[in-house]
Each structure stands twice: as structure tokens, then as C-alpha cells.
Amino acid sequence: MPLLKCINAEQAGAFFDLVQSGVIGREPSNVYCLDQETISRRHAEVLISGDGVELRDLGSANGTYVNGRRIDDRANLLSHGDQIYVGAMLFEYREQSSIEDDDTLDRPMIGRGSRSITVAAGSLLDQQMALARSAQRRLVMSDPAPVPGYKIAHHFEPATGVGGDFAIQHPLPDGRLLLVLGDVCGKGLPASVYMAYVCGVLAGLDPELPPTALMKGLNRALVEVLEPGMFVTAQALCLDPDNHRADVISAGHHPPMLVADDGKARQLSFDTGLALGLTHDITLGGTRVELKSREILIFSSDGLDEAVGSDGDYLGVHRCVEAATGAAGALDAVRRLSRLVDGHVGNADASDDLTLLAIERAES
């Protein structure tokens, strides 16, 4: 029997069986009642058929996310291991064939699909963190803007309730897409406060500025407010779909990976410049990437290669490159890498926030 297992907040480890189709939400009459402040009264709907389990959003205020992508009212077929946000509650979807010998389900069942299923709201601090997490998700991009001839996928996962990673987008009038992603040093509440400030500054800058001018404007704002020792790494990417090229401007952020048209992945090598907020005289780096058909450009925060396992070892770039090799598109690349991190970290606490952004040129 398929189930949803809660993997964050006070109810982490609790689960409920998906025994019938029905609505998820705060309304007591729902088949799956989740009494949590960030969840709408009728939030999402589970659809069970011979093809499997599907999930669709019902116009919820805070959204339903599958593997970092906000879904709409169209049914999305779930796969084992999918990460699902319902409001601020994070679930993992499990299939029966994969859980019969699973000894991790050691918390009481929330229920079995009856109308009595209720998840407690938790402490006041839990509720405030949930609301802060929901607010932060509104600051970063949800569905990537459509770009003709390209597919874009992304994944955003704070190490704690909130974090310092950010990714925003600006479709430009000439058809190009500006993407800015980055990482405030540290994690948790202090990093999230500066992350919100970064998003506010970027919202106030003209997105049609050259990426270099945009990064310098952000740096001027950060120098004035960052605490000593704090800094922000970032990359501004301008995707030109007509000429099939991506101009990357970097401020201390590690280079992206490229999956070539033959399936082989590698990390690009170029001068990445200095982090933002350290000095008024900023030094930026960058490169231009010409994308061939079926090539994938993968950006990430250091929560990817610097993920720490239970034995204290770093995941490392080499294993990330191995996992990305052979990826069948942007979405597959994001799924491979997020699951690689999950497997490496295991039961240990996440050491840093994780953001993934993959851009695929479709086959021409």
C-alpha cells in the first residue's frame, strides 16, 4: 500500500496510508485532514487508479511542490522517493514494493485514509518556522518561466526550516531569461534574513541591466549591511534561446556542470571571481556557454558537493559528476542529484541548504 511519510517538523517519521482517492487539507471532512496553519482547507487531491497514485493542487495559497516544482490542477504521477511539500509540511512518497522491509517507519501512523486523520500543528515556534518557510518560498522562483526550445528544472531545500539559498528569474522583453542564484554563507534564520534582503535588492534593480552591472549593484547594497565575516556567493545567468548561449557572471560561486550531448558530464572551469559583500571593489568572473542540442547546464549551491555524510565525509564534485552523467534531461538531472545528496547524508542532519537549477536545450 502506498503511503506518505512526514520528514520534517514535529511529526517527522509519522505516516499515513493512501487507501483511497481524496482531498488533503485542513477541512475536517477531508479524507486526509492535516491541521497545520500553512495548509489550505482544501489544499490538494490524491487520485488513485490502476496507473498508480497521482497528486494535483486545488488552488492552495502556499502551493503543492513535487521535487521542488510547484504543481497545478493537472494530475502528477508520483514515483517512489518523490519529495512533496504540502504547504510547509514535507512528505516522502513511498510505494508498497519498497517499504515492506523498511524499519524507518518507527513513528505512529497518522491514520489510514479515514476522516479522523489529523496532524498536530505543533508548538508556536514550529508554526512560526513553517510560516517563515512558506514566506521564503514565495521569494524564490516556483515554476521556471517557459523558454522556447528549452526545459528548466529546479530544486530548493533548506537545511533547516529556512535558509540562505536563493534563485530568482526575470524574463526579458527580447526573449532572453535572466536567472540569479546564490548562497548566503551559513544557514538557518540569520542566513534567511539576508536572503530576503538579497531578493528585495534584486527586485529593485533593473533586470535589463547587463549581468555584470546587476551583480555590482547587489554588491554595493550588501557591503553596507552584512555583518563582519558574512558574504554572499552568486551567479547571474542570461540565457539567449535564439543564439543558444548562456552568459554566466560569477561572484565567488562554484562553476556549473555541463552534461554534453554524448551524456558525459563535467564541471566547467573558469575564474569565478570574489564573493559579494566583502569589499566595494568587487572582482567578478564568468564565461559564455554555447549549448548544443540535448546538452544540460546544471547550477547548484555548495549544499551539493559539500553535503556531509554520517561519517563526516564530503560528497565531492567527482560523485556529483558521475551522478549527472547520462541524465535524460533537466528534470532527471535534478532528481539524480537531489537523491544523491539524500543517500549520502542519510540519517545525519543536513549540513547546508541545497539548490539545483538545470537548463536543457531540447533536441532540434
Side-chain angles (χ1 to χ4, degrees):
M1 181 179 298
L3 60 82
L4 290 178
K5 176 185 175 183
C6 185
I7 57 176
N8 75 339
E10 188 175 271
Q11 293 291 329
F15 65 99
F16 58 82
D17 289 327
L18 299 175
V19 297
Q20 66 183 95
S21 298
V23 173
I24 299 173
R26 287 175 23 241
E27 175 62 50
S29 63
N30 291 335
V31 172
Y32 304 102
C33 180
L34 303 179
D35 185 15
Q36 212 276 344
E37 192 169 351
T38 65
I39 295 175
S40 299
R41 298 184 70 83
R42 290 174 56 83
H43 195 106
E45 184 177 20
V46 173
L47 305 168
I48 302 176
S49 68
D51 296 328
V53 177
E54 296 177 312
L55 184 69
R56 70 186 188 100
D57 186 74
L58 297 178
S60 62
N62 293 318
T64 305
Y65 294 79
V66 178
N67 298 322
R69 179 180 63 86
R70 186 167 186 165
I71 65 173
D72 53 24
D73 59 357
R74 292 170 291 186
N76 290 258
L77 184 65
L78 300 179
S79 300
H80 175 73
D82 280 349
Q83 305 287 295
I84 301 166
Y85 270 104
V86 181
M89 293 192 68
L90 176 60
F91 294 91
E92 183 176 75
Y93 174 71
R94 302 285 189 91
E95 294 177 343
Q96 181 181 18
S97 61
S98 304
I99 64 172
E100 292 175 345
D101 300 320
D102 190 345
D103 60 2
T104 67
L105 303 179
D106 55 2
R107 292 286 300 275
M109 288 184 64
I110 302 174
R112 288 187 175 273
S114 69
R115 293 183 177 180
S116 63
I117 300 173
T118 301
V119 177
S123 68
L124 177 60
L125 180 59
D126 288 336
Q127 294 179 49
Q128 291 175 339
M129 287 294 290
L131 287 172
R133 183 171 190 141
S134 177
Q136 187 173 53
R137 282 190 170 273
R138 290 172 181 268
L139 293 174
V140 299
M141 69 180 193
S142 53
D143 292 336
V147 178
Y150 284 81
K151 296 179 182 179
I152 303 176
H154 92 293
H155 176 84
F156 172 66
E157 183 61 36
T160 58
V162 289
D165 283 7
F166 57 91
I168 65 171
Q169 62 182 344
H170 287 290
L172 301 177
D174 61 4
R176 293 178 302 153
L177 178 64
L178 173 68
L179 294 157
V180 184
L181 71 156
D183 181 6
V184 178
C185 70
K187 60 181 179 178
L189 282 173
S192 72
V193 171
Y194 285 120
M195 173 270 191
Y197 179 76
V198 168
C199 291
V201 171
L202 288 171
L205 294 173
D206 183 356
E208 294 189 58
L209 285 171
T212 298
L214 197 75
M215 297 289 264
K216 288 183 176 180
L218 178 57
N219 181 68
R220 285 193 297 271
L222 288 171
V223 166
E224 302 300 327
V225 301
L226 288 183
E227 293 289 326
M230 294 285 288
F231 59 88
V232 176
T233 66
Q235 281 176 345
L237 158 71
C238 193
L239 176 64
D240 181 349
D242 292 334
N243 296 297
H244 302 297
R245 66 188 182 211
D247 289 316
V248 181
I249 299 300
S250 179
H253 203 84
H254 61 261
M257 290 184 288
L258 178 70
V259 182
D261 55 356
D262 62 1
K264 294 181 180 179
R266 62 185 175 90
Q267 186 178 48
L268 299 181
S269 178
F270 58 87
D271 180 7
T272 57
L274 297 178
L276 302 174
L278 296 173
T279 175
H280 287 282
D281 299 321
I282 185 68
T283 301
L284 300 172
T287 190
R288 170 172 287 180
V289 182
E290 306 283 350
L291 287 167
K292 300 177 183 177
S293 294
R294 299 186 291 112
E295 289 193 329
I296 310 166
L297 194 56
I298 306 171
F299 296 84
S300 67
S301 61
D302 57 12
L304 177 62
D305 58 290
E306 294 184 8
V308 181
S310 56
D311 56 358
D313 69 318
Y314 287 99
L315 181 58
V317 173
H318 179 69
R319 279 181 277 191
C320 297
V321 169
E322 284 186 338
T325 295
L331 182 58
D332 184 47
V334 165
R335 286 179 172 174
R336 286 177 178 224
L337 293 170
S338 63
R339 289 174 181 174
L340 175 68
V341 172
D342 288 343
H344 182 71
V345 172
N347 294 325
D349 292 333
S351 59
D352 203 353
D353 309 322
L354 174 64
T355 296
L356 298 166
L357 176 68
I359 300 171
E360 170 197 0
R361 179 181 170 186
E363 189 170 4
S364 57

